[in-house]
């Protein structure tokens, strides 16, 4: 992540006109922190948009490093790759930490935003960068929700979509994981309904929320593999003397602590609210009908052990979208497999794009739908 320091500073786009949100409220302007790699072609049609997950940032070459590089899915020699920090986050784009008109941070006053608002901000950036055509939009988790939304909101420019470990709407199961996190955060007396001060943030509440989330991001097998009692790695030192000695617990606490050092509680709430309200079909019709109208080739990446965005949801997407392929990603690491196992599924994405969204394919001239789900060679996918 950028806080480790080795990455380029984000570029910034400042839009001074009001940005109208789905809620009807408006932000007086918008600042978007983004990074780009490669060059926009003469006809401005070689863009690739990368969308990050909940606590991610614009440093896609860091958190999705296995996808980056010459000959890979994200190839700066071929593509003009853009990744922006999402609206509502705390890594440079307008969010609760941004100063409002009164010179104070928005904080708890920051308006409710939606996944669509976030994508509209990304679209505004694409407009400002002069992008005429987008080879594909790709994202995992929250970024996957955004990638599918791009297919609807900017159907003309978006030629293909890669959506990993996500869905088209938040399920009741996802909602209750988020609600548990809200309860944990709100239980911190320092939270004060979001009106905390910079020198006394609700670190205990945010840490507890992250710990709950981390459980949903991994899997029993993943933790067993790392921390099984007979693995020799179950405890720090020779043997567990107290419950706190268990490495799995310490690992969870480490992740909880790490987040509070780098993330803002109001941003966290803003983003999980955006996730929870998301429904691709909202205001557009019923879910299946809306999906059927998405004409672009879509690769749906489904992590076999994902306990948050369940494989059944992704199978529904792949079965319903008219031009979709299902990519089963055999990872034991759960939802976070979209990051941890990226090197194993990168070739499958690349091959999908080469077959279904090649550079020379003009928008709207797409290959017919295959009767079978996309099945890459097993060696591309199997995770040891
Ligand atoms: C687009 C985006 O999603 S961007 C956001 C992605 N980044 C994050 O989510 C940040 C949080 N990081 C993570 O969740 C993970 O590190 C991932 C998903 C990026 C990678 O997963 P993994 O390779 O399985 O990492 P793992 O879960 O083992 O975490 C590694 C960290 O845990 C620490 N750790 C591992 N075991 C233990 C233990 N028993 N006790 C204490 N700490 C431990 C490591 O020292 C390391 O710390 P560091 O990250 O501060 O250097
Ligand atoms: N590790 C991811 C999980 C959510 O997809 C994040 O923190 O953003």
């Amino acid at each position: 992540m950028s806080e480790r320091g080795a990455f380029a500073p984000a570029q910034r786009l400042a839009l001074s006109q009001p940005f109208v949100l789905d809620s009807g409220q408006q932000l007086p302007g918008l600042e978007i922190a983004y990074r780009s790699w490669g060059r926009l072609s003469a006809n401005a049609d070689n863009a690739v948009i990368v969308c990050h997950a909940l606590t991610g940032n614009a440093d896609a070459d860091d958190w999705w490093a296995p996808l980056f590089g010459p000959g890979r899915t994200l190839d700066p020699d071929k593509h003009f790759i853009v990744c922006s920090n999402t609206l509502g986050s705390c890594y440079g784009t307008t969010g609760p930490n941004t100063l409002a008109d009164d010179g104070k941070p928005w904080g708890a006053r920051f308006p409710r935003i939606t996944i669509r608002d976030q994508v509209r901000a990304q679209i505004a950036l694409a407009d400002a960068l002069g992008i005429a055509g987008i080879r594909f939009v790709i994202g995992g988790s929250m970024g996957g929700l955004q990638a599918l939304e791009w297919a609807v909101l900017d159907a003309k420019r978006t030629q293909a979509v890669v959506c990993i470990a996500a869905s088209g709407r938040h399920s009741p199961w996802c909602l209750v994981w988020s609600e548990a996190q809200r309860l944990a955060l709100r239980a911190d007396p320092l939270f004060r309904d979001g009106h905390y001060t910079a020198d006394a943030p609700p670190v205990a509440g945010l840490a507890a929320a992250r710990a709950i989330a981390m459980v949903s991001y991994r899997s029993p097998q993943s933790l067993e593999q790392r921390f099984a009692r007979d693995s020799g790695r179950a405890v720090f030192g020779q043997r567990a003397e107290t419950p706190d000695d268990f490495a799995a617990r310490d690992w969870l606490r480490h992740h909880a602590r790490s987040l509070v050092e780098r993330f803002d509680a109001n941003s966290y709430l803003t983003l999980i609210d955006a996730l929870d309200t998301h429904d691709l079909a909202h205001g557009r019709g019923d879910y299946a009908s809306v999906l059927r109208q998405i004409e672009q080739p879509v690769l749906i990446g489904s992590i076999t052990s994902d306990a948050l965005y369940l494989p059944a949801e992704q199978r529904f997407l792949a079965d319903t979208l008219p031009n979709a392929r299902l990519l089963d990603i055999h990872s034991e690491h759960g939802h976070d497999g979209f990051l941890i196992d990226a090197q194993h599924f990168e070739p499958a994405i690349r091959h999908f794009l080469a077959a279904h969204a090649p550079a020379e394919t003009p928008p709207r001239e797409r290959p017919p739908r295959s009767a079978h789900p996309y099945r890459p060679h097993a060696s591309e996918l199997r995770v040891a």
Side-chain angles (χ1 to χ4, degrees):
M1 302 293 297
S2 57
E3 69 271 19
R4 290 180 192 147
F7 300 96
Q11 297 147 273
R12 276 172 199 279
L13 172 75
L15 298 169
S16 52
Q17 65 269 39
F19 185 78
V20 182
L21 300 163
D22 267 339
S23 64
Q25 284 185 268
Q26 58 183 42
L27 295 166
L30 198 57
E31 188 156 33
I32 301 177
Y34 70 98
R35 288 191 59 204
S36 67
W37 300 261
R39 283 177 184 278
L40 196 58
S41 59
N43 45 1
D45 65 352
N46 66 332
V48 169
I49 307 293
V50 186
C51 306
H52 68 72
L54 182 68
T55 70
N57 58 24
D59 293 331
D61 58 341
D62 172 26
W63 50 262
W64 248 355
L67 268 60
F68 259 86
R72 294 196 188 156
T73 298
L74 302 170
D75 183 347
D77 293 343
K78 285 197 305 198
H79 304 132
F80 177 59
I81 305 159
V82 179
C83 181
S84 56
N85 181 225
T86 202
L87 179 67
S89 180
C90 52
Y91 290 128
T93 292
T94 300
N97 274 347
T98 305
L99 300 185
D101 282 344
D102 61 2
K104 296 180 185 149
W106 280 95
R109 303 172 297 160
F110 193 71
R112 283 247 173 159
I113 58 159
T114 63
I115 296 291
R116 284 184 203 172
D117 291 328
Q118 293 173 326
V119 173
R120 285 193 194 97
Q122 293 166 2
I123 288 172
L125 174 63
D127 292 343
L129 294 174
I131 289 170
I134 297 169
R135 293 265 167 81
F136 59 96
V137 181
I138 182 169
S141 195
M142 184 175 79
L145 268 59
Q146 293 172 347
L148 273 181
E149 189 58 50
W150 264 92
V152 180
L153 274 184
D154 200 340
K156 214 167 165 190
R157 274 189 294 195
T158 305
Q159 291 173 38
V161 169
V162 179
C163 168
I164 313 272
S167 67
R169 57 183 180 183
H170 244 210
S171 65
W173 180 244
C174 286
L175 293 174
V176 294
W177 279 105
S178 300
E179 190 60 14
Q181 294 165 54
R182 279 187 203 92
L183 289 170
L185 182 49
R186 292 188 189 287
D188 186 334
L190 290 179
F191 180 64
R192 300 173 60 221
D193 277 334
H195 299 284
Y196 51 86
T197 55
D199 58 347
V203 291
L206 184 58
R210 180 63 165 180
I212 292 166
M214 284 305 298
V215 179
S216 76
Y217 298 156
R218 301 302 169 101
S219 71
Q221 311 92 287
S222 181
L223 296 188
E224 188 69 18
Q225 184 225 55
R226 290 162 186 229
F227 304 121
R229 283 172 182 264
D230 57 3
S231 70
R233 286 171 291 163
V235 293
F236 283 138
Q238 290 305 302
R239 66 193 183 95
E241 300 291 346
T242 73
D244 285 353
D245 286 340
F246 284 101
R249 295 172 54 139
D250 203 40
W251 168 86
L252 190 64
R253 284 197 300 268
H254 174 83
H255 275 291
R257 266 196 313 269
S258 302
L259 188 79
V260 302
E261 284 163 14
R262 69 180 179 89
F263 219 77
D264 171 62
N266 278 322
S267 267
Y268 195 84
L269 274 185
T270 296
L271 295 182
I272 62 174
D273 286 351
L275 284 170
D276 282 355
T277 55
H278 184 57
D279 183 347
L280 198 66
H282 182 72
R284 292 172 174 152
D286 72 278
Y287 189 50
S289 309
V290 171
L291 291 178
R292 280 191 212 102
Q293 287 162 28
I294 296 177
E295 294 177 7
Q296 298 95 326
V298 181
L299 181 65
I300 300 290
S302 177
I303 296 173
T304 48
S305 57
D306 194 332
L308 186 60
Y309 296 96
L310 302 176
E313 297 180 76
Q314 288 125 25
R315 180 158 294 282
F316 182 80
L317 284 176
D319 286 347
T320 312
L321 289 162
N323 198 3
R325 303 292 180 276
L326 183 67
L327 170 64
D328 283 321
I329 299 169
H330 293 269
S331 166
E332 66 177 12
H333 293 299
H335 179 66
D336 266 347
F338 82 94
L339 296 167
I340 298 169
D341 286 319
Q343 77 273 26
H344 298 288
F345 61 76
E346 185 280 329
I349 301 176
R350 183 164 19 102
H351 295 162
F352 169 83
L353 291 168
H356 299 283
E360 59 275 15
T361 301
R364 303 264 160 226
E365 282 181 27
R366 302 189 183 99
R369 186 182 193 199
S370 150
H372 303 290
Y374 175 67
R375 294 205 191 287
H377 192 275
S379 63
E380 295 166 7
L381 294 179
R382 199 56 66 174
V383 175

